[in-house]
PDB file of all heavy atoms in Angstrom:
ATOM      1  N   PRO R   1      42.876 -42.878-114.178  1.00 88.00           N
ATOM      2  CA  PRO R   1      43.781 -43.495-113.191  1.00 88.00           C
ATOM      3  C   PRO R   1      44.480 -44.757-113.683  1.00 88.00           C
ATOM      4  O   PRO R   1      45.672 -44.947-113.412  1.00 88.00           O
ATOM      5  CB  PRO R   1      42.854 -43.788-112.005  1.00 88.00           C
ATOM      6  CG  PRO R   1      41.766 -42.770-112.113  1.00 88.00           C
ATOM      7  CD  PRO R   1      41.553 -42.571-113.584  1.00 88.00           C
ATOM      8  N   GLY R   2      43.765 -45.621-114.396  1.00 89.00           N
ATOM      9  CA  GLY R   2      44.375 -46.857-114.868  1.00 89.00           C
ATOM     10  C   GLY R   2      45.478 -46.591-115.881  1.00 89.00           C
ATOM     11  O   GLY R   2      46.579 -47.163-115.783  1.00 89.00           O
ATOM     12  N   THR R   3      45.193 -45.721-116.842  1.00 87.00           N
ATOM     13  CA  THR R   3      46.194 -45.373-117.849  1.00 87.00           C
ATOM     14  C   THR R   3      47.368 -44.654-117.198  1.00 87.00           C
ATOM     15  O   THR R   3      48.528 -44.854-117.563  1.00 87.00           O
ATOM     16  CB  THR R   3      45.568 -44.487-118.933  1.00 87.00           C
ATOM     17  OG1 THR R   3      44.447 -45.164-119.510  1.00 87.00           O
ATOM     18  CG2 THR R   3      46.569 -44.153-120.017  1.00 87.00           C
ATOM     19  N   ARG R   4      47.062 -43.824-116.222  1.00 88.00           N
ATOM     20  CA  ARG R   4      48.121 -43.074-115.524  1.00 88.00           C
ATOM     21  C   ARG R   4      49.086 -44.031-114.826  1.00 88.00           C
ATOM     22  O   ARG R   4      50.303 -43.845-114.879  1.00 88.00           O
ATOM     23  CB  ARG R   4      47.473 -42.139-114.515  1.00 88.00           C
ATOM     24  CG  ARG R   4      48.386 -41.074-113.965  1.00 88.00           C
ATOM     25  CD  ARG R   4      47.578 -40.035-113.217  1.00 88.00           C
ATOM     26  NE  ARG R   4      48.387 -38.941-112.757  1.00 88.00           N
ATOM     27  CZ  ARG R   4      47.909 -37.805-112.295  1.00 88.00           C
ATOM     28  NH1 ARG R   4      46.606 -37.614-112.246  1.00 88.00           N
ATOM     29  NH2 ARG R   4      48.722 -36.843-111.897  1.00 88.00           N
ATOM     30  N   ALA R   5      48.554 -45.080-114.197  1.00 92.00           N
ATOM     31  CA  ALA R   5      49.413 -46.060-113.534  1.00 92.00           C
ATOM     32  C   ALA R   5      50.303 -46.770-114.554  1.00 92.00           C
ATOM     33  O   ALA R   5      51.486 -47.025-114.293  1.00 92.00           O
ATOM     34  CB  ALA R   5      48.553 -47.073-112.777  1.00 92.00           C
ATOM     35  N   ASP R   6      49.745 -47.090-115.725  1.00 90.00           N
ATOM     36  CA  ASP R   6      50.547 -47.716-116.776  1.00 90.00           C
ATOM     37  C   ASP R   6      51.669 -46.790-117.239  1.00 90.00           C
ATOM     38  O   ASP R   6      52.790 -47.226-117.497  1.00 90.00           O
ATOM     39  CB  ASP R   6      49.662 -48.089-117.974  1.00 90.00           C
ATOM     40  CG  ASP R   6      48.698 -49.217-117.663  1.00 90.00           C
ATOM     41  OD1 ASP R   6      48.934 -49.956-116.683  1.00 90.00           O
ATOM     42  OD2 ASP R   6      47.706 -49.364-118.398  1.00 90.00           O
ATOM     43  N   MET R   7      51.355 -45.492-117.348  1.00 90.00           N
ATOM     44  CA  MET R   7      52.357 -44.524-117.790  1.00 90.00           C
ATOM     45  C   MET R   7      53.462 -44.344-116.751  1.00 90.00           C
ATOM     46  O   MET R   7      54.623 -44.140-117.088  1.00 90.00           O
ATOM     47  CB  MET R   7      51.695 -43.186-118.099  1.00 90.00           C
ATOM     48  CG  MET R   7      50.734 -43.227-119.274  1.00 90.00           C
ATOM     49  SD  MET R   7      51.539 -43.671-120.824  1.00 90.00           S
ATOM     50  CE  MET R   7      52.578 -42.249-121.087  1.00 90.00           C
ATOM     51  N   HIS R   8      53.087 -44.417-115.470  1.00 93.00           N
ATOM     52  CA  HIS R   8      54.100 -44.357-114.416  1.00 93.00           C
ATOM     53  C   HIS R   8      55.094 -45.504-114.582  1.00 93.00           C
ATOM     54  O   HIS R   8      56.319 -45.300-114.503  1.00 93.00           O
ATOM     55  CB  HIS R   8      53.438 -44.450-113.043  1.00 93.00           C
ATOM     56  CG  HIS R   8      52.706 -43.215-112.642  1.00 93.00           C
ATOM     57  ND1 HIS R   8      51.977 -43.135-111.476  1.00 93.00           N
ATOM     58  CD2 HIS R   8      52.567 -42.013-113.250  1.00 93.00           C
ATOM     59  CE1 HIS R   8      51.434 -41.932-111.387  1.00 93.00           C
ATOM     60  NE2 HIS R   8      51.783 -41.241-112.447  1.00 93.00           N
ATOM     61  N   GLU R   9      54.570 -46.698-114.808  1.00 92.00           N
ATOM     62  CA  GLU R   9      55.435 -47.869-114.972  1.00 92.00           C
ATOM     63  C   GLU R   9      56.328 -47.712-116.202  1.00 92.00           C
ATOM     64  O   GLU R   9      57.527 -48.019-116.165  1.00 92.00           O
ATOM     65  CB  GLU R   9      54.570 -49.122-115.101  1.00 92.00           C
ATOM     66  CG  GLU R   9      55.363 -50.416-115.212  1.00 92.00           C
ATOM     67  CD  GLU R   9      54.457 -51.634-115.294  1.00 92.00           C
ATOM     68  OE1 GLU R   9      53.262 -51.522-114.977  1.00 92.00           O
ATOM     69  OE2 GLU R   9      54.970 -52.704-115.688  1.00 92.00           O
ATOM     70  N   LEU R  10      55.750 -47.191-117.284  1.00 91.00           N
ATOM     71  CA  LEU R  10      56.518 -47.005-118.514  1.00 91.00           C
ATOM     72  C   LEU R  10      57.651 -46.004-118.320  1.00 91.00           C
ATOM     73  O   LEU R  10      58.806 -46.273-118.686  1.00 91.00           O
ATOM     74  CB  LEU R  10      55.588 -46.530-119.636  1.00 91.00           C
ATOM     75  CG  LEU R  10      56.284 -46.064-120.915  1.00 91.00           C
ATOM     76  CD1 LEU R  10      56.935 -47.238-121.634  1.00 91.00           C
ATOM     77  CD2 LEU R  10      55.299 -45.342-121.836  1.00 91.00           C
ATOM     78  N   ILE R  11      57.347 -44.836-117.752  1.00 93.00           N
ATOM     79  CA  ILE R  11      58.366 -43.798-117.661  1.00 93.00           C
ATOM     80  C   ILE R  11      59.491 -44.210-116.716  1.00 93.00           C
ATOM     81  O   ILE R  11      60.672 -43.907-116.952  1.00 93.00           O
ATOM     82  CB  ILE R  11      57.750 -42.434-117.250  1.00 93.00           C
ATOM     83  CG1 ILE R  11      58.681 -41.284-117.652  1.00 93.00           C
ATOM     84  CG2 ILE R  11      57.438 -42.385-115.767  1.00 93.00           C
ATOM     85  CD1 ILE R  11      58.851 -41.119-119.130  1.00 93.00           C
ATOM     86  N   LEU R  12      59.170 -44.962-115.646  1.00 94.00           N
ATOM     87  CA  LEU R  12      60.216 -45.447-114.750  1.00 94.00           C
ATOM     88  C   LEU R  12      61.099 -46.469-115.460  1.00 94.00           C
ATOM     89  O   LEU R  12      62.324 -46.468-115.290  1.00 94.00           O
ATOM     90  CB  LEU R  12      59.594 -46.066-113.496  1.00 94.00           C
ATOM     91  CG  LEU R  12      59.021 -45.082-112.476  1.00 94.00           C
ATOM     92  CD1 LEU R  12      58.349 -45.837-111.331  1.00 94.00           C
ATOM     93  CD2 LEU R  12      60.098 -44.152-111.936  1.00 94.00           C
ATOM     94  N   ARG R  13      60.494 -47.342-116.263  1.00 92.00           N
ATOM     95  CA  ARG R  13      61.295 -48.326-116.992  1.00 92.00           C
ATOM     96  C   ARG R  13      62.240 -47.647-117.979  1.00 92.00           C
ATOM     97  O   ARG R  13      63.431 -47.971-118.037  1.00 92.00           O
ATOM     98  CB  ARG R  13      60.375 -49.308-117.733  1.00 92.00           C
ATOM     99  CG  ARG R  13      61.146 -50.324-118.588  1.00 92.00           C
ATOM    100  CD  ARG R  13      60.242 -51.378-119.163  1.00 92.00           C
ATOM    101  NE  ARG R  13      59.240 -50.824-120.058  1.00 92.00           N
ATOM    102  CZ  ARG R  13      59.478 -50.496-121.330  1.00 92.00           C
ATOM    103  NH1 ARG R  13      60.685 -50.633-121.846  1.00 92.00           N
ATOM    104  NH2 ARG R  13      58.507 -50.026-122.085  1.00 92.00           N
ATOM    105  N   LEU R  14      61.723 -46.693-118.739  1.00 91.00           N
ATOM    106  CA  LEU R  14      62.565 -46.005-119.715  1.00 91.00           C
ATOM    107  C   LEU R  14      63.653 -45.182-119.031  1.00 91.00           C
ATOM    108  O   LEU R  14      64.791 -45.100-119.516  1.00 91.00           O
ATOM    109  CB  LEU R  14      61.700 -45.108-120.607  1.00 91.00           C
ATOM    110  CG  LEU R  14      60.703 -45.838-121.512  1.00 91.00           C
ATOM    111  CD1 LEU R  14      59.834 -44.839-122.244  1.00 91.00           C
ATOM    112  CD2 LEU R  14      61.411 -46.760-122.488  1.00 91.00           C
ATOM    113  N   TRP R  15      63.323 -44.579-117.890  1.00 93.00           N
ATOM    114  CA  TRP R  15      64.327 -43.814-117.136  1.00 93.00           C
ATOM    115  C   TRP R  15      65.458 -44.726-116.672  1.00 93.00           C
ATOM    116  O   TRP R  15      66.641 -44.378-116.785  1.00 93.00           O
ATOM    117  CB  TRP R  15      63.653 -43.136-115.945  1.00 93.00           C
ATOM    118  CG  TRP R  15      64.590 -42.591-114.919  1.00 93.00           C
ATOM    119  CD1 TRP R  15      65.448 -41.546-115.046  1.00 93.00           C
ATOM    120  CD2 TRP R  15      64.770 -43.086-113.581  1.00 93.00           C
ATOM    121  NE1 TRP R  15      66.140 -41.344-113.876  1.00 93.00           N
ATOM    122  CE2 TRP R  15      65.743 -42.269-112.965  1.00 93.00           C
ATOM    123  CE3 TRP R  15      64.192 -44.120-112.859  1.00 93.00           C
ATOM    124  CZ2 TRP R  15      66.157 -42.485-111.649  1.00 93.00           C
ATOM    125  CZ3 TRP R  15      64.596 -44.328-111.546  1.00 93.00           C
ATOM    126  CH2 TRP R  15      65.578 -43.509-110.961  1.00 93.00           C
ATOM    127  N   ARG R  16      65.109 -45.920-116.174  1.00 91.00           N
ATOM    128  CA  ARG R  16      66.148 -46.851-115.737  1.00 91.00           C
ATOM    129  C   ARG R  16      67.009 -47.303-116.911  1.00 91.00           C
ATOM    130  O   ARG R  16      68.233 -47.415-116.798  1.00 91.00           O
ATOM    131  CB  ARG R  16      65.509 -48.072-115.056  1.00 91.00           C
ATOM    132  CG  ARG R  16      64.976 -47.814-113.657  1.00 91.00           C
ATOM    133  CD  ARG R  16      64.647 -49.114-112.949  1.00 91.00           C
ATOM    134  NE  ARG R  16      63.554 -49.816-113.598  1.00 91.00           N
ATOM    135  CZ  ARG R  16      62.286 -49.821-113.179  1.00 91.00           C
ATOM    136  NH1 ARG R  16      61.969 -49.137-112.087  1.00 91.00           N
ATOM    137  NH2 ARG R  16      61.362 -50.489-113.814  1.00 91.00           N
ATOM    138  N   GLU R  17      66.378 -47.572-118.043  1.00 90.00           N
ATOM    139  CA  GLU R  17      67.109 -48.118-119.187  1.00 90.00           C
ATOM    140  C   GLU R  17      68.032 -47.088-119.838  1.00 90.00           C
ATOM    141  O   GLU R  17      69.090 -47.448-120.351  1.00 90.00           O
ATOM    142  CB  GLU R  17      66.119 -48.664-120.225  1.00 90.00           C
ATOM    143  CG  GLU R  17      65.399 -49.916-119.760  1.00 90.00           C
ATOM    144  CD  GLU R  17      64.359 -50.394-120.756  1.00 90.00           C
ATOM    145  OE1 GLU R  17      64.088 -49.674-121.744  1.00 90.00           O
ATOM    146  OE2 GLU R  17      63.814 -51.491-120.559  1.00 90.00           O
ATOM    147  N   THR R  18      67.633 -45.827-119.824  1.00 89.00           N
ATOM    148  CA  THR R  18      68.423 -44.801-120.513  1.00 89.00           C
ATOM    149  C   THR R  18      69.377 -44.054-119.593  1.00 89.00           C
ATOM    150  O   THR R  18      70.307 -43.402-120.075  1.00 89.00           O
ATOM    151  CB  THR R  18      67.495 -43.770-121.174  1.00 89.00           C
ATOM    152  OG1 THR R  18      66.667 -43.162-120.164  1.00 89.00           O
ATOM    153  CG2 THR R  18      66.601 -44.421-122.220  1.00 89.00           C
ATOM    154  N   SER R  19      69.160 -44.106-118.278  1.00 88.00           N
ATOM    155  CA  SER R  19      69.983 -43.407-117.289  1.00 88.00           C
ATOM    156  C   SER R  19      69.999 -41.893-117.487  1.00 88.00           C
ATOM    157  O   SER R  19      70.948 -41.215-117.086  1.00 88.00           O
ATOM    158  CB  SER R  19      71.434 -43.937-117.314  1.00 88.00           C
ATOM    159  OG  SER R  19      71.463 -45.312-117.010  1.00 88.00           O
ATOM    160  N   MET R  20      68.954 -41.350-118.128  1.00 92.00           N
ATOM    161  CA  MET R  20      68.896 -39.903-118.326  1.00 92.00           C
ATOM    162  C   MET R  20      68.424 -39.216-117.040  1.00 92.00           C
ATOM    163  O   MET R  20      67.919 -39.851-116.120  1.00 92.00           O
ATOM    164  CB  MET R  20      67.951 -39.565-119.474  1.00 92.00           C
ATOM    165  CG  MET R  20      66.536 -39.978-119.239  1.00 92.00           C
ATOM    166  SD  MET R  20      65.522 -39.787-120.714  1.00 92.00           S
ATOM    167  CE  MET R  20      64.154 -40.876-120.294  1.00 92.00           C
ATOM    168  N   THR R  21      68.598 -37.914-117.003  1.00 95.00           N
ATOM    169  CA  THR R  21      68.110 -37.106-115.894  1.00 95.00           C
ATOM    170  C   THR R  21      66.711 -36.611-116.242  1.00 95.00           C
ATOM    171  O   THR R  21      66.479 -36.140-117.352  1.00 95.00           O
ATOM    172  CB  THR R  21      69.049 -35.911-115.653  1.00 95.00           C
ATOM    173  OG1 THR R  21      70.380 -36.398-115.487  1.00 95.00           O
ATOM    174  CG2 THR R  21      68.630 -35.135-114.416  1.00 95.00           C
ATOM    175  N   VAL R  22      65.790 -36.725-115.298  1.00 96.00           N
ATOM    176  CA  VAL R  22      64.391 -36.367-115.541  1.00 96.00           C
ATOM    177  C   VAL R  22      63.958 -35.283-114.562  1.00 96.00           C
ATOM    178  O   VAL R  22      64.236 -35.367-113.361  1.00 96.00           O
ATOM    179  CB  VAL R  22      63.458 -37.594-115.395  1.00 96.00           C
ATOM    180  CG1 VAL R  22      61.999 -37.187-115.582  1.00 96.00           C
ATOM    181  CG2 VAL R  22      63.841 -38.681-116.392  1.00 96.00           C
ATOM    182  N   PHE R  23      63.286 -34.251-115.089  1.00 97.00           N
ATOM    183  CA  PHE R  23      62.595 -33.253-114.274  1.00 97.00           C
ATOM    184  C   PHE R  23      61.112 -33.345-114.620  1.00 97.00           C
ATOM    185  O   PHE R  23      60.736 -33.182-115.782  1.00 97.00           O
ATOM    186  CB  PHE R  23      63.089 -31.835-114.583  1.00 97.00           C
ATOM    187  CG  PHE R  23      64.413 -31.490-113.978  1.00 97.00           C
ATOM    188  CD1 PHE R  23      65.588 -31.894-114.590  1.00 97.00           C
ATOM    189  CD2 PHE R  23      64.492 -30.754-112.806  1.00 97.00           C
ATOM    190  CE1 PHE R  23      66.814 -31.577-114.044  1.00 97.00           C
ATOM    191  CE2 PHE R  23      65.713 -30.425-112.253  1.00 97.00           C
ATOM    192  CZ  PHE R  23      66.889 -30.841-112.876  1.00 97.00           C
ATOM    193  N   MET R  24      60.272 -33.593-113.625  1.00 97.00           N
ATOM    194  CA  MET R  24      58.839 -33.722-113.855  1.00 97.00           C
ATOM    195  C   MET R  24      58.060 -32.765-112.972  1.00 97.00           C
ATOM    196  O   MET R  24      58.164 -32.811-111.743  1.00 97.00           O
ATOM    197  CB  MET R  24      58.366 -35.153-113.572  1.00 97.00           C
ATOM    198  CG  MET R  24      56.868 -35.354-113.822  1.00 97.00           C
ATOM    199  SD  MET R  24      56.264 -36.975-113.290  1.00 97.00           S
ATOM    200  CE  MET R  24      56.334 -36.776-111.495  1.00 97.00           C
ATOM    201  N   VAL R  25      57.283 -31.876-113.588  1.00 96.00           N
ATOM    202  CA  VAL R  25      56.373 -31.003-112.854  1.00 96.00           C
ATOM    203  C   VAL R  25      55.046 -31.731-112.680  1.00 96.00           C
ATOM    204  O   VAL R  25      54.506 -32.310-113.633  1.00 96.00           O
ATOM    205  CB  VAL R  25      56.145 -29.680-113.609  1.00 96.00           C
ATOM    206  CG1 VAL R  25      54.965 -28.915-113.029  1.00 96.00           C
ATOM    207  CG2 VAL R  25      57.402 -28.825-113.555  1.00 96.00           C
ATOM    208  N   THR R  26      54.510 -31.720-111.469  1.00 95.00           N
ATOM    209  CA  THR R  26      53.216 -32.334-111.221  1.00 95.00           C
ATOM    210  C   THR R  26      52.485 -31.573-110.118  1.00 95.00           C
ATOM    211  O   THR R  26      53.108 -31.047-109.188  1.00 95.00           O
ATOM    212  CB  THR R  26      53.364 -33.817-110.828  1.00 95.00           C
ATOM    213  OG1 THR R  26      52.068 -34.364-110.534  1.00 95.00           O
ATOM    214  CG2 THR R  26      54.262 -33.995-109.601  1.00 95.00           C
ATOM    215  N   HIS R  27      51.151 -31.499-110.252  1.00 91.00           N
ATOM    216  CA  HIS R  27      50.332 -30.953-109.170  1.00 91.00           C
ATOM    217  C   HIS R  27      49.973 -32.042-108.153  1.00 91.00           C
ATOM    218  O   HIS R  27      49.419 -31.739-107.096  1.00 91.00           O
ATOM    219  CB  HIS R  27      49.048 -30.337-109.725  1.00 91.00           C
ATOM    220  CG  HIS R  27      49.253 -28.976-110.313  1.00 91.00           C
ATOM    221  ND1 HIS R  27      49.524 -28.772-111.650  1.00 91.00           N
ATOM    222  CD2 HIS R  27      49.267 -27.744-109.742  1.00 91.00           C
ATOM    223  CE1 HIS R  27      49.667 -27.470-111.872  1.00 91.00           C
ATOM    224  NE2 HIS R  27      49.527 -26.832-110.736  1.00 91.00           N
ATOM    225  N   ASP R  28      50.248 -33.283-108.500  1.00 92.00           N
ATOM    226  CA  ASP R  28      49.877 -34.419-107.667  1.00 92.00           C
ATOM    227  C   ASP R  28      51.069 -34.783-106.773  1.00 92.00           C
ATOM    228  O   ASP R  28      52.041 -35.397-107.228  1.00 92.00           O
ATOM    229  CB  ASP R  28      49.483 -35.597-108.554  1.00 92.00           C
ATOM    230  CG  ASP R  28      48.934 -36.790-107.769  1.00 92.00           C
ATOM    231  OD1 ASP R  28      49.250 -36.909-106.573  1.00 92.00           O
ATOM    232  OD2 ASP R  28      48.189 -37.590-108.372  1.00 92.00           O
ATOM    233  N   ILE R  29      50.997 -34.382-105.508  1.00 93.00           N
ATOM    234  CA  ILE R  29      52.118 -34.634-104.591  1.00 93.00           C
ATOM    235  C   ILE R  29      52.386 -36.126-104.452  1.00 93.00           C
ATOM    236  O   ILE R  29      53.543 -36.563-104.418  1.00 93.00           O
ATOM    237  CB  ILE R  29      51.835 -34.000-103.211  1.00 93.00           C
ATOM    238  CG1 ILE R  29      51.794 -32.472-103.345  1.00 93.00           C
ATOM    239  CG2 ILE R  29      52.908 -34.404-102.199  1.00 93.00           C
ATOM    240  CD1 ILE R  29      51.473 -31.746-102.061  1.00 93.00           C
ATOM    241  N   LYS R  30      51.320 -36.935-104.411  1.00 94.00           N
ATOM    242  CA  LYS R  30      51.490 -38.386-104.299  1.00 94.00           C
ATOM    243  C   LYS R  30      52.271 -38.922-105.490  1.00 94.00           C
ATOM    244  O   LYS R  30      53.152 -39.773-105.342  1.00 94.00           O
ATOM    245  CB  LYS R  30      50.120 -39.060-104.208  1.00 94.00           C
ATOM    246  CG  LYS R  30      50.183 -40.561-104.014  1.00 94.00           C
ATOM    247  CD  LYS R  30      48.788 -41.149-103.886  1.00 94.00           C
ATOM    248  CE  LYS R  30      48.853 -42.660-103.724  1.00 94.00           C
ATOM    249  NZ  LYS R  30      47.486 -43.251-103.624  1.00 94.00           N
ATOM    250  N   GLU R  31      51.964 -38.419-106.687  1.00 94.00           N
ATOM    251  CA  GLU R  31      52.686 -38.840-107.881  1.00 94.00           C
ATOM    252  C   GLU R  31      54.150 -38.441-107.792  1.00 94.00           C
ATOM    253  O   GLU R  31      55.041 -39.212-108.158  1.00 94.00           O
ATOM    254  CB  GLU R  31      52.040 -38.214-109.115  1.00 94.00           C
ATOM    255  CG  GLU R  31      52.717 -38.562-110.432  1.00 94.00           C
ATOM    256  CD  GLU R  31      51.979 -37.954-111.619  1.00 94.00           C
ATOM    257  OE1 GLU R  31      52.078 -36.727-111.829  1.00 94.00           O
ATOM    258  OE2 GLU R  31      51.314 -38.720-112.340  1.00 94.00           O
ATOM    259  N   GLY R  32      54.407 -37.232-107.302  1.00 95.00           N
ATOM    260  CA  GLY R  32      55.779 -36.772-107.177  1.00 95.00           C
ATOM    261  C   GLY R  32      56.606 -37.670-106.272  1.00 95.00           C
ATOM    262  O   GLY R  32      57.740 -38.032-106.606  1.00 95.00           O
ATOM    263  N   PHE R  33      56.031 -38.060-105.149  1.00 95.00           N
ATOM    264  CA  PHE R  33      56.761 -38.923-104.224  1.00 95.00           C
ATOM    265  C   PHE R  33      56.855 -40.356-104.737  1.00 95.00           C
ATOM    266  O   PHE R  33      57.800 -41.078-104.407  1.00 95.00           O
ATOM    267  CB  PHE R  33      56.104 -38.886-102.844  1.00 95.00           C
ATOM    268  CG  PHE R  33      56.541 -37.723-102.004  1.00 95.00           C
ATOM    269  CD1 PHE R  33      55.889 -36.504-102.098  1.00 95.00           C
ATOM    270  CD2 PHE R  33      57.620 -37.826-101.134  1.00 95.00           C
ATOM    271  CE1 PHE R  33      56.286 -35.412-101.335  1.00 95.00           C
ATOM    272  CE2 PHE R  33      58.035 -36.744-100.370  1.00 95.00           C
ATOM    273  CZ  PHE R  33      57.366 -35.531-100.466  1.00 95.00           C
ATOM    274  N   ALA R  34      55.886 -40.784-105.536  1.00 94.00           N
ATOM    275  CA  ALA R  34      55.913 -42.142-106.069  1.00 94.00           C
ATOM    276  C   ALA R  34      56.979 -42.308-107.148  1.00 94.00           C
ATOM    277  O   ALA R  34      57.641 -43.349-107.214  1.00 94.00           O
ATOM    278  CB  ALA R  34      54.541 -42.512-106.639  1.00 94.00           C
ATOM    279  N   LEU R  35      57.165 -41.277-107.975  1.00 95.00           N
ATOM    280  CA  LEU R  35      58.081 -41.395-109.102  1.00 95.00           C
ATOM    281  C   LEU R  35      59.467 -40.822-108.820  1.00 95.00           C
ATOM    282  O   LEU R  35      60.469 -41.370-109.282  1.00 95.00           O
ATOM    283  CB  LEU R  35      57.495 -40.692-110.333  1.00 95.00           C
ATOM    284  CG  LEU R  35      56.197 -41.256-110.900  1.00 95.00           C
ATOM    285  CD1 LEU R  35      55.755 -40.460-112.121  1.00 95.00           C
ATOM    286  CD2 LEU R  35      56.344 -42.726-111.250  1.00 95.00           C
ATOM    287  N   GLY R  36      59.545 -39.728-108.105  1.00 96.00           N
ATOM    288  CA  GLY R  36      60.814 -39.038-107.951  1.00 96.00           C
ATOM    289  C   GLY R  36      61.786 -39.731-107.017  1.00 96.00           C
ATOM    290  O   GLY R  36      61.387 -40.350-106.030  1.00 96.00           O
ATOM    291  N   THR R  37      63.082 -39.637-107.333  1.00 96.00           N
ATOM    292  CA  THR R  37      64.119 -39.987-106.365  1.00 96.00           C
ATOM    293  C   THR R  37      64.493 -38.763-105.536  1.00 96.00           C
ATOM    294  O   THR R  37      65.271 -38.847-104.596  1.00 96.00           O
ATOM    295  CB  THR R  37      65.381 -40.517-107.068  1.00 96.00           C
ATOM    296  OG1 THR R  37      65.877 -39.532-107.976  1.00 96.00           O
ATOM    297  CG2 THR R  37      65.068 -41.790-107.832  1.00 96.00           C
ATOM    298  N   ARG R  38      63.903 -37.615-105.936  1.00 96.00           N
ATOM    299  CA  ARG R  38      64.130 -36.359-105.235  1.00 96.00           C
ATOM    300  C   ARG R  38      62.935 -35.462-105.521  1.00 96.00           C
ATOM    301  O   ARG R  38      62.466 -35.396-106.661  1.00 96.00           O
ATOM    302  CB  ARG R  38      65.408 -35.718-105.759  1.00 96.00           C
ATOM    303  CG  ARG R  38      65.834 -34.410-105.116  1.00 96.00           C
ATOM    304  CD  ARG R  38      67.180 -34.009-105.694  1.00 96.00           C
ATOM    305  NE  ARG R  38      67.693 -32.762-105.164  1.00 96.00           N
ATOM    306  CZ  ARG R  38      68.867 -32.230-105.540  1.00 96.00           C
ATOM    307  NH1 ARG R  38      69.617 -32.851-106.448  1.00 96.00           N
ATOM    308  NH2 ARG R  38      69.285 -31.088-105.020  1.00 96.00           N
ATOM    309  N   VAL R  39      62.419 -34.798-104.504  1.00 97.00           N
ATOM    310  CA  VAL R  39      61.250 -33.926-104.661  1.00 97.00           C
ATOM    311  C   VAL R  39      61.634 -32.504-104.278  1.00 97.00           C
ATOM    312  O   VAL R  39      62.153 -32.260-103.187  1.00 97.00           O
ATOM    313  CB  VAL R  39      60.061 -34.406-103.800  1.00 97.00           C
ATOM    314  CG1 VAL R  39      58.916 -33.393-103.858  1.00 97.00           C
ATOM    315  CG2 VAL R  39      59.578 -35.779-104.267  1.00 97.00           C
ATOM    316  N   LEU R  40      61.385 -31.575-105.209  1.00 97.00           N
ATOM    317  CA  LEU R  40      61.585 -30.149-104.950  1.00 97.00           C
ATOM    318  C   LEU R  40      60.235 -29.494-104.751  1.00 97.00           C
ATOM    319  O   LEU R  40      59.321 -29.686-105.564  1.00 97.00           O
ATOM    320  CB  LEU R  40      62.300 -29.473-106.113  1.00 97.00           C
ATOM    321  CG  LEU R  40      63.637 -30.056-106.562  1.00 97.00           C
ATOM    322  CD1 LEU R  40      64.191 -29.257-107.738  1.00 97.00           C
ATOM    323  CD2 LEU R  40      64.641 -30.090-105.415  1.00 97.00           C
ATOM    324  N   VAL R  41      60.093 -28.724-103.679  1.00 97.00           N
ATOM    325  CA  VAL R  41      58.863 -27.978-103.412  1.00 97.00           C
ATOM    326  C   VAL R  41      59.119 -26.512-103.693  1.00 97.00           C
ATOM    327  O   VAL R  41      60.006 -25.898-103.093  1.00 97.00           O
ATOM    328  CB  VAL R  41      58.395 -28.172-101.951  1.00 97.00           C
ATOM    329  CG1 VAL R  41      57.090 -27.398-101.719  1.00 97.00           C
ATOM    330  CG2 VAL R  41      58.204 -29.651-101.638  1.00 97.00           C
ATOM    331  N   PHE R  42      58.352 -25.950-104.634  1.00 96.00           N
ATOM    332  CA  PHE R  42      58.455 -24.518-104.953  1.00 96.00           C
ATOM    333  C   PHE R  42      57.353 -23.762-104.214  1.00 96.00           C
ATOM    334  O   PHE R  42      56.200 -24.178-104.216  1.00 96.00           O
ATOM    335  CB  PHE R  42      58.299 -24.291-106.461  1.00 96.00           C
ATOM    336  CG  PHE R  42      59.570 -24.469-107.244  1.00 96.00           C
ATOM    337  CD1 PHE R  42      60.161 -25.721-107.364  1.00 96.00           C
ATOM    338  CD2 PHE R  42      60.183 -23.388-107.855  1.00 96.00           C
ATOM    339  CE1 PHE R  42      61.330 -25.893-108.081  1.00 96.00           C
ATOM    340  CE2 PHE R  42      61.365 -23.551-108.583  1.00 96.00           C
ATOM    341  CZ  PHE R  42      61.937 -24.809-108.693  1.00 96.00           C
TER     342      PHE R  42
END
């Protein structure tokens, strides 16, 4: 959990700095809502 929180912070920072488009698959719904600006449910 601790490392995961650090990685969340890292990936959001890099996403902001590069302005790239990101698609992230996750089984963790909480993670999806925490990181995504848009959530797709399959």
Side-chain angles (χ1 to χ4, degrees):
T3 303
R4 194 168 184 167
D6 291 341
M7 295 298 293
H8 287 176
E9 183 178 344
L10 170 69
I11 201 66
L12 285 176
R13 177 173 62 80
L14 294 175
W15 166 68
R16 285 192 295 259
E17 290 176 352
T18 59
S19 300
M20 62 189 161
T21 306
V22 177
F23 283 81
M24 181 187 72
V25 167
T26 177
H27 281 92
D28 186 337
I29 294 178
K30 183 178 179 181
E31 179 177 74
F33 276 87
L35 297 181
T37 58
R38 182 175 180 180
V39 173
L40 305 180
V41 181
F42 276 68

